[in-house]
Amino acid sequence: MSPSRGARALAQWLLLGGVVGCVCGVASAVFLYLLDEATHFRESHEALVYALPVAGLVLGAVYGRWGGPIRGGNNLVLDAVHEGDTQVPLRLAPMVLVGTVLTHLFGGSAGREGTAVQMGGSLADVLARRFGVGPDMRREMLAAGIAGGFGSVFGTPVAGAVFGLEVVVVGRLGYESLLPALVSAVVGDLVTRGLGIHHTVYPVPTALPLTAWVLAKWLVFAVAVAVVAVVFVELTHRLKKESEKRVPWLPVRMALGGAAVVALWKLSGTSEYLGLGVPGILRAFVDPALPVTAFAWKLVFTAVTLGAGFLGGEVTPLFFIGAALGNVLARLLGLPVDLGAAVGLAALFAAAANTPLALSIMAVELLGASVLPHVVIVATVAYLLTGHRGIYPAQRIARLKHGGPLLRRLIPLRELPGEDPSPQPGPRAPE
């Protein structure tokens, strides 16, 4: 590429990536403000949780009537990156925003990254159509939308940029989208912060030198993280599949899911597993007496909420599950509790989302450099051990995790019934 072409490309992506980042930043700021208000209101009026089944009935009716084309959520955005004829409608952004806020208002256990990614993808696709860009540039703008949404909603722009590249194809980074993703994530984060949004501040964990004995402990830790990641992915997908099969009508399905969450709430005897669960995450860093079942409770609450069709994401609940699990494992293995919580927080989502690099970077942005190299080791090993599954079935894979030749085409994870799929007909996956 000549210097002049390189300069034009830089100017183009500074402009387009900046525009995508601006709209993502504004959307994330509005979303985070409303989410914070809804959470505080529910905590002050806990009786609202009893209305979660009614909220599910209403949300299900609205989504069943007007949300058919957008029910794919994050998977719709990922499909749009790979399939030129798949569009992300503009109405996805407001519908998922309102639906997620209402889910949290009534106590559903869900996250926020799904909403941010879907809003970012929706707005980026609208801009791509408005500017009349070609298929390749549209894919890059969608990656920028994913990065801008993720980076701005968590205040982690570098991790957001890498996540926008890494989540699209398992085990491969699309460097052609690096510049727009980075610009969008940085600008989105600046806009969100500039609008007065403050992100959660996590404790800086204890620094621990890596020795052979510590490495052995981290390998055991990684196996446990992988097992819990597999349980979460399989339980969430199985609940969704079985509930759709047994209760085809979405409003009733969500109402029953809401009733199940209320039952879990009463059975657990605590409100700690409702909503995002940020206080529980922070507690995992400092409480050596954290209940050993805390991670399992949050896992079930979240799988039931999302499996029933409520809106939101998986990241923050997985942060809770990972931090609580890390707390327990650290106590069992003789590791610092705060470091165990920090590594578990990042590694569990890395394994469940097939994004070990992005989450390792995110851990540094949120928790400081003391998590290195521990989080990279655990996230990578857990990512490999989870096999060819993940919370985003629309992720594509070009080569199996354990190696081997390129598959003949980029295959969605949802089309892989096992860990040794035969290559499918079609064009060879590009290097």
Side-chain angles (χ1 to χ4, degrees), residues 8 12 27 53 91 165 211 279 313 393:
R8 285 197 300 272
Q12 168 187 280
R91 68 178 182 274
L165 311 184
T211 65

Side-chain angles (χ1 to χ4, degrees), residues 200-212:
T200 302
V201 178
Y202 293 93
V204 176
T206 303
L208 180 69
L210 183 65
T211 65

Side-chain angles (χ1 to χ4, degrees), residues 217-227 329 377-379 381-382 385:
K217 292 180 179 181
W218 285 130
L219 293 178
V220 174
F221 193 109
V223 172
V225 167
V227 170
L329 292 174
I377 293 168
V378 176
V381 173
L385 292 177

Side-chain angles (χ1 to χ4, degrees), residues 195 253 298 314 401 407:
L195 291 173
R253 190 161 70 240
K298 186 63 174 176
E314 295 88 353
K401 286 186 180 181
L407 303 177

Side-chain angles (χ1 to χ4, degrees), residues 48-407:
L48 279 172
V49 180
Y50 290 109
L52 184 60
V54 178
L57 190 68
V58 174
L59 282 172
V62 172
Y63 245 55
R65 176 65 177 85
W66 291 287
I70 63 177
R71 272 186 228 162
N74 286 354
N75 294 299
L76 175 65
V77 177
L78 293 175
D79 282 334
V81 173
H82 294 285
E83 301 169 5
D85 57 347
T86 299
Q87 291 189 350
V88 187
L90 177 59
R91 68 178 182 274
L92 174 62
M95 288 189 72
V96 74
L97 186 152
V98 173
T100 303
V101 170
L102 290 177
T103 295
H104 284 275
L105 176 65
F106 293 98
S109 177
R112 51 195 172 189
E113 116 288 340
T115 303
V117 166
Q118 291 165 51
M119 289 193 300
S122 172
L123 295 169
D125 203 23
V126 169
L127 289 172
R129 295 198 299 270
R130 179 62 60 89
F131 291 138
V133 302
D136 291 337
M137 188 175 291
R138 174 179 178 263
R139 282 192 293 269
E140 293 168 15
M141 288 185 69
L142 283 168
I146 295 171
F150 192 94
S152 61
V153 85
F154 289 108
T156 54
V158 179
V162 177
F163 183 82
L165 311 184
E166 192 176 21
V167 75
V168 175
V169 179
V170 175
R172 195 182 71 181
L173 291 177
Y175 281 105
E176 68 279 358
S177 302
L178 177 58
L179 179 58
L182 181 61
V183 171
S184 176
V186 170
V187 171
D189 180 51
L190 289 173
V191 169
T192 299
R193 292 178 189 270
L195 291 173
I197 298 299
H198 301 284
H199 299 284
T200 302
V201 178
Y202 293 93
V204 176
T206 303
L208 180 69
L210 183 65
T211 65
W213 182 233
V214 170
L215 175 60
K217 292 180 179 181
W218 285 130
L219 293 178
V220 174
F221 193 109
V223 172
V225 167
V227 170
V228 173
V230 169
V231 170
F232 178 82
V233 170
E234 294 295 337
L235 180 60
T236 303
H237 290 339
R238 180 61 61 87
L239 286 175
K240 184 174 183 180
K241 181 178 179 181
E242 289 299 318
S243 63
E244 289 177 348
K245 177 181 177 182
R246 298 176 185 277
V247 187
W249 197 35
L250 180 61
V252 174
R253 190 161 70 240
M254 292 182 67
L256 292 174
V261 171
V262 173
L264 288 169
W265 174 50
K266 301 307 292 182
L267 184 63
S268 67
T270 177
S271 299
E272 195 165 314
Y273 309 122
L274 300 172
L276 290 171
V278 171
I281 299 172
L282 297 175
R283 180 185 174 190
F285 280 81
V286 298
D287 186 0
L290 183 77
V292 296
T293 57
F295 77 91
W297 276 111
K298 186 63 174 176
L299 188 154
V300 174
F301 267 76
T302 307
V304 171
T305 299
L306 298 179
F310 283 94
L311 304 180
E314 295 88 353
V315 173
T316 309
L318 282 170
F319 280 0
F320 184 120
I321 299 165
L325 175 66
N327 175 296
V328 174
L329 292 174
R331 286 146 55 186
L332 291 173
L333 297 171
L335 295 165
V337 166
D338 55 354
L339 183 59
V343 171
L345 176 151
L348 184 65
F349 181 70
N354 295 303
T355 53
L357 181 57
L359 268 293
S360 296
I361 294 171
M362 189 176 193
V364 174
E365 289 187 286
L366 291 177
L367 305 161
S370 61
V371 296
L372 295 174
H374 316 293
V375 69
V376 179
I377 293 168
V378 176
T380 302
V381 173
Y383 154 78
L384 290 171
L385 292 177
T386 54
H388 303 101
R389 58 172 60 82
I391 55 177
Y392 307 132
Q395 278 182 307
R396 266 55 171 183
I397 189 165
R399 191 194 305 270
L400 301 183
K401 286 186 180 181
H402 49 69
L406 284 172
L407 303 177

